[in-house]
Amino acid sequence: MRILQYIILASIVVSCSLEKSMNNAEFDAVISKLGNAPEKNSPEENLMVGDAFRKSNRLVESIPFYQAAIKEGTPEEAANLYLAQGLKVEQKYDEAQKVLDNYLPRARDEKTKKMAEKELQNLRKIEDLKDHGSYYRVKNLQDINTENAEYSPVFSRNYLYFTTNREGSKIYRTTGTPFTDIYRVASKGANVNLSTLSALDPIINHLDTNEGSVAISPDGSSMIFAKGNDGKAKGFSEVNLFFTRYRNGKWSEPVALSINEAESWDSTPTFSPDGTTLYFSSTRAGGYGGADLYQAKINRRGRWVDVRNLGPEINSTGDDVFPYVSEDGSLYFSSDGHAGFGKLDIFRAVREGGHVTIENLGKPMNSSADDFGLYQFNLTKGFFTSNRKGGKGDDDIYTFINDDPDLKVVNYFLTGITITTDDAGKEIILPNTKVSLTTDSGEVLDEAFTGADGSFNFRVYPEEHYDLISEKTDYFTVRKDFTTIGKTVEKSTLTEFVTNVNFETKIMMDPIVLEKAIVLDNIYYDLDKADIRTDAALVLDSLVQIMNDNPEIYIELGSHTDARDTDEYNLNLSRRRAQSAVRYIINTGIKSQRITAKGYGESQLLVKNAQTEEEHQRNRRTEFKVLRYNPRDRNDDLPPEESVDEYDRFFKESGDGNG
């Protein structure tokens, strides 16, 4: 009996130890202990081993353990989903469908059920994906690949940067493989010079930390990279983005970006072609799946701000990672949540007509394994990563060529300037103005701050309507519409490989001047009436828009009459009309404290002794004027107490640019 008690006690100790290993993401320790014979394990142990294999990116090896756990009656519903995903990687698509078909009628957990339904939909699309034609050719870049992992290639200034664990001496307990470092090698396109291969400086690469994916600024002077996962009990879940600058032949001390979130995985960064937008993947709260794609903009002080999720059209219920923005504006990324062949597939997102279309690049770019980390060194050639069968080791870097004979690229750009008028009424440049490009639904697609020349530049897309919103302290925020509808170029008529279509515009901005009357044109009333007519409502709606766009202003709405009746009558009529207009505006949602009505009658005639109907009409007018203005610095999105020394205006300070 005592021996039995010792056995039970030992079993409890082992179980607690393994649970601790799982909680600390020491998956290799669990696999070493229980990962040999699923028939000897309990359902709980098989589930644990299956999770350990899956979380260390060995989904195929998890299959027999999830099968055993399900057969033995595990209550964990997600085991069915993970088993189906493992079978999918093995290209056993029919078996994967059967697993989900059997599970879904008895599903109880809503989250798992939703993910399983989506996975089943994706499995049913695989036959269509197989029929998808492709002009891509791929080749293993054997010169730099080893039996270890080489992934996330980035090409900059004749150097190929990538991440690898080829020479790591210290083991990362999560995967049982060495920690990863960042390397670079001189390269002419896909032709690498191995004699130049070297790890980046120790200030970047640390012995007991994973250095991950890299983004190099367009001028080659700066780098943002992922760093984390030191393997310690409290360090496995947090991966952060770091910034460093190349100056005088060396990299500066990396600094964590302020957009990182504690206890989240922030990784796979990439710059937009102009360097003003940073795209990355994150597991932060509020996303649509596991890891979602986000973007951040750089402000005037060189800090990344305004983090926004790219939305449900792009982000799936799975993991969406490794974004890359091409010179033609396409967003490439990898996902296991959109319909694909196995694990991560590479997708292309294209915007047109207000909608985003997601396209699987098909085979041979994608396989049943992980395919990710695409990077172009021109519009038809580039690199990507895959751990597909037939490679040299774990993750391998591949090259690709797109031989599509009909490939034509059309870029649409909108350039403009912000202007105002001087005291003489002459147009002058208005610098340091924030301009936003928004859709009809209010989605902000891009933002810019005008420089000394007042200019801004946006990429726009075919067959879409936009609002340009311009903001500057002490000026009215204004909107100007712009459309590409009907302006799309037919690609079949083009002879050049790349065609740039440029549109131009001006945005006039008026200063906010207290007590200055501004006439609202075309507000008409029926004779002796104060009711708001349909045509007048349209004009008042424009004032509502002004007040919504300028929440700092408090206004008076004044109504004026001509002089063709008694003073008393005209004063009373103007009051009723002003009050009617104010009621209309308040009913749209404007707070009553922000607007007052005043009737002036004929006390402020613009044309005294008016004779013609046109002159009387000038006197019959509705105006508004700003009574109070609580200015806020609409352009200053960085609190003054924060330091900006780490990367202030980094993309303007190129150093020697040899990074």
Side-chain angles (χ1 to χ4, degrees):
M1 178 67 71
R2 183 165 294 178
I3 291 175
L4 180 60
Q5 289 175 338
Y6 287 151
I7 292 173
I8 293 172
L9 181 60
S11 176
I12 293 172
V13 170
V14 170
S15 177
C16 291
S17 175
L18 292 175
E19 287 182 4
K20 182 178 180 181
S21 294
M22 286 296 292
N23 291 334
N24 290 342
E26 296 170 357
F27 304 128
D28 210 51
V30 176
I31 292 168
S32 298
K33 185 70 177 178
L34 299 173
N36 294 317
E39 66 275 5
K40 296 181 179 180
N41 298 335
S42 68
E44 293 77 12
E45 289 172 336
N46 278 324
L47 183 66
M48 189 183 299
V49 178
D51 287 346
F53 274 122
R54 175 179 58 85
K55 291 181 178 181
S56 57
N57 202 30
R58 290 173 275 184
L59 199 53
V60 171
E61 289 92 329
S62 74
I63 291 175
F65 296 92
Y66 283 133
Q67 286 175 326
I70 293 169
K71 184 178 180 180
E72 294 161 358
T74 177
E76 181 54 60
E77 294 185 29
N80 297 274
L81 174 63
Y82 301 145
L83 173 58
Q85 291 172 339
L87 294 168
K88 181 181 177 183
V89 175
E90 283 285 87
Q91 302 181 65
K92 297 178 179 179
Y93 302 130
D94 291 339
E95 289 185 41
Q97 288 191 50
K98 287 180 183 178
V99 170
L100 296 180
D101 283 331
N102 290 333
Y103 159 67
L104 283 170
R106 53 188 175 82
R108 295 293 180 269
D109 182 80
E110 283 300 319
K111 181 179 179 181
T112 303
K113 180 181 178 182
K114 180 180 178 182
M115 295 177 67
E117 288 172 340
K118 181 63 177 177
E119 187 62 62
L120 188 58
Q121 292 175 15
N122 290 343
L123 283 165
R124 289 169 176 163
K125 295 176 182 178
I126 287 179
E127 289 304 316
D128 292 336
L129 292 178
K130 289 179 180 179
D131 296 333
H132 179 71
S134 172
Y135 289 97
Y136 285 101
R137 290 187 287 120
V138 305
K139 183 179 180 181
N140 189 296
L141 190 57
Q142 295 191 16
D143 286 349
I144 63 171
N145 290 320
T146 67
E147 63 181 8
N148 295 95
E150 285 80 28
Y151 68 94
S152 199
V154 172
F155 187 74
S156 175
R157 300 297 180 97
N158 299 318
Y159 278 93
L160 179 64
Y161 294 77
F162 62 98
T163 305
T164 179
N165 60 3
R166 61 176 61 204
E167 295 179 4
S169 59
K170 196 165 185 179
I171 300 301
Y172 177 40
R173 290 177 292 179
T174 294
T175 61
T177 58
F179 283 92
T180 56
D181 289 326
I182 301 169
Y183 279 63
R184 77 171 189 173
V185 62
S187 177
K188 293 182 178 179
N191 299 313
V192 298
N193 181 356
L194 287 179
S195 67
T196 66
L197 178 66
S198 63
L200 296 193
D201 303 339
I203 200 170
I204 303 296
N205 292 320
H206 291 182
L207 180 65
D208 60 351
T209 306
N210 281 313
E211 284 77 33
S213 301
V214 172
I216 307 292
S217 62
D219 64 5
S221 69
S222 306
M223 177 170 69
I224 291 177
F225 66 100
K227 184 182 184 72
N229 284 348
D230 60 4
K232 298 177 183 177
K234 295 183 179 180
F236 64 86
S237 65
E238 187 168 325
V239 176
N240 291 322
L241 297 173
F242 285 77
F243 168 87
T244 180
R245 186 169 15 226
Y246 198 78
R247 280 180 170 173
N248 302 319
K250 60 182 180 180
W251 293 102
S252 64
E253 179 74 35
V255 177
L257 297 187
S258 59
I259 60 174
N260 292 314
E261 283 208 358
E263 295 303 317
S264 73
W265 180 87
D266 298 307
S267 188
T268 69
T270 191
F271 288 98
S272 61
D274 65 1
T276 63
T277 304
L278 179 69
Y279 297 86
F280 64 100
S281 185
S282 178
T283 58
R284 63 189 60 197
Y288 296 92
D292 275 16
L293 297 180
Y294 292 81
Q295 71 171 39
K297 299 291 293 184
I298 197 162
N299 68 6
R300 294 178 301 165
R301 301 186 182 184
R303 290 186 73 92
W304 296 104
V305 296
D306 194 21
V307 175
R308 291 201 295 271
N309 188 293
L310 294 193
E313 289 181 303
I314 291 173
N315 289 310
S316 67
T317 57
D319 289 325
D320 303 283
V321 289
F322 292 96
Y324 172 77
V325 180
S326 173
E327 290 287 346
D328 69 354
S330 299
L331 172 67
Y332 292 88
F333 66 101
S334 291
S335 175
D336 62 10
H338 294 284
F341 294 101
K343 293 199 282 187
L344 292 173
D345 272 16
I346 302 174
F347 295 83
R348 177 175 177 250
V350 179
R351 186 180 181 93
E352 182 172 350
H355 301 285
V356 176
T357 301
I358 306 295
E359 172 195 11
N360 186 303
L361 295 192
K363 294 185 176 182
M365 290 293 289
N366 289 317
S367 67
S368 64
D370 280 325
D371 305 289
F372 60 97
L374 179 143
Y375 192 96
Q376 295 176 328
F377 55 81
N378 64 41
L379 288 169
T380 62
K381 299 177 182 179
F383 306 94
F384 72 103
T385 308
S386 180
N387 63 357
R388 62 187 63 188
K389 292 179 180 179
K392 205 168 179 180
D394 186 355
D395 293 327
D396 278 5
I397 294 174
Y398 287 74
T399 61
F400 71 84
I401 297 176
N402 184 355
D403 286 329
D404 185 351
D406 298 320
L407 181 61
K408 294 286 192 302
V409 175
V410 182
N411 296 310
Y412 298 89
F413 298 104
L414 173 61
T415 61
I417 57 173
T418 49
I419 59 174
T420 188
T421 55
D422 60 16
D423 293 340
K426 180 183 176 182
E427 289 186 1
I428 57 174
I429 296 295
L430 186 64
N432 301 321
T433 303
K434 181 181 178 181
V435 184
S436 302
L437 180 74
T438 68
T439 66
D440 286 338
S441 63
E443 177 189 3
V444 179
L445 295 181
D446 205 351
E447 291 179 342
F449 287 94
T450 65
D453 60 357
S455 67
F456 59 88
N457 181 52
F458 294 126
R459 178 183 288 277
V460 291
Y461 302 90
E463 302 302 310
E464 293 193 2
H465 181 269
Y466 305 98
D467 276 331
L468 291 164
I469 303 177
S470 186
E471 304 173 71
K472 184 177 175 65
T473 303
D474 297 334
Y475 286 78
F476 286 105
T477 294
V478 297
R479 290 174 179 257
K480 184 171 184 177
D481 67 333
F482 174 78
T483 185
T484 58
I485 296 174
K487 301 174 183 178
T488 302
V489 174
E490 178 56 51
K491 291 184 179 180
S492 62
T493 65
L494 301 175
T495 57
E496 299 294 327
F497 175 55
V498 178
T499 300
N500 293 329
V501 179
N502 294 292
F503 305 104
E504 296 181 352
T505 190
K506 287 182 180 180
I507 301 179
M508 173 63 72
M509 299 189 66
D510 295 316
I512 296 175
V513 181
L514 297 182
E515 300 288 345
K516 178 183 178 181
I518 300 172
V519 177
L520 296 172
D521 293 322
N522 302 318
I523 293 187
Y524 302 121
Y525 297 89
D526 292 327
L527 182 64
D528 196 32
K529 299 290 185 182
D531 300 326
I532 301 300
R533 294 180 3 178
T534 301
D535 53 357
L538 293 175
V539 181
L540 291 176
D541 287 342
S542 67
L543 179 56
V544 171
Q545 186 68 68
I546 291 172
M547 296 196 70
N548 282 328
D549 289 339
N550 297 270
E552 322 84 355
I553 64 172
Y554 295 73
I555 71 168
E556 172 194 284
L557 190 143
S559 179
H560 301 260
T561 67
D562 58 32
R564 291 186 294 186
D565 213 308
T566 65
D567 289 350
E568 182 179 358
Y569 172 85
N570 285 333
L571 183 61
N572 182 55
L573 178 61
S574 65
R575 284 173 177 168
R576 288 191 291 119
R577 287 177 172 175
Q579 290 166 353
S580 179
V582 166
R583 277 196 301 273
Y584 177 90
I585 290 171
I586 291 173
N587 286 337
T588 67
I590 300 298
K591 292 182 178 180
S592 60
Q593 301 95 315
R594 293 184 58 209
I595 184 169
T596 59
K598 186 167 184 178
Y600 286 90
E602 57 182 272
S603 64
Q604 295 184 5
L605 298 174
L606 295 178
V607 182
K608 300 184 184 302
N609 302 315
Q611 300 298 317
T612 67
E613 184 58 35
E614 181 180 354
E615 291 174 334
H616 288 303
Q617 183 61 59
R618 285 190 63 197
N619 287 329
R620 296 194 305 272
R621 67 196 186 278
T622 301
E623 300 172 336
F624 80 91
K625 56 186 176 183
V626 177
L627 301 179
R628 183 156 59 95
Y629 170 53
N630 294 332
R632 58 185 173 90
D633 193 348
R634 291 177 255 197
N635 303 327
D636 192 0
D637 45 15
L638 178 66
E641 66 271 17
E642 293 192 37
S643 170
V644 298
D645 291 341
E646 307 101 356
Y647 33 89
D648 180 29
R649 302 179 183 87
F650 78 87
F651 58 94
K652 294 182 180 178
E653 298 180 9
S654 58
D656 56 18
N658 291 325

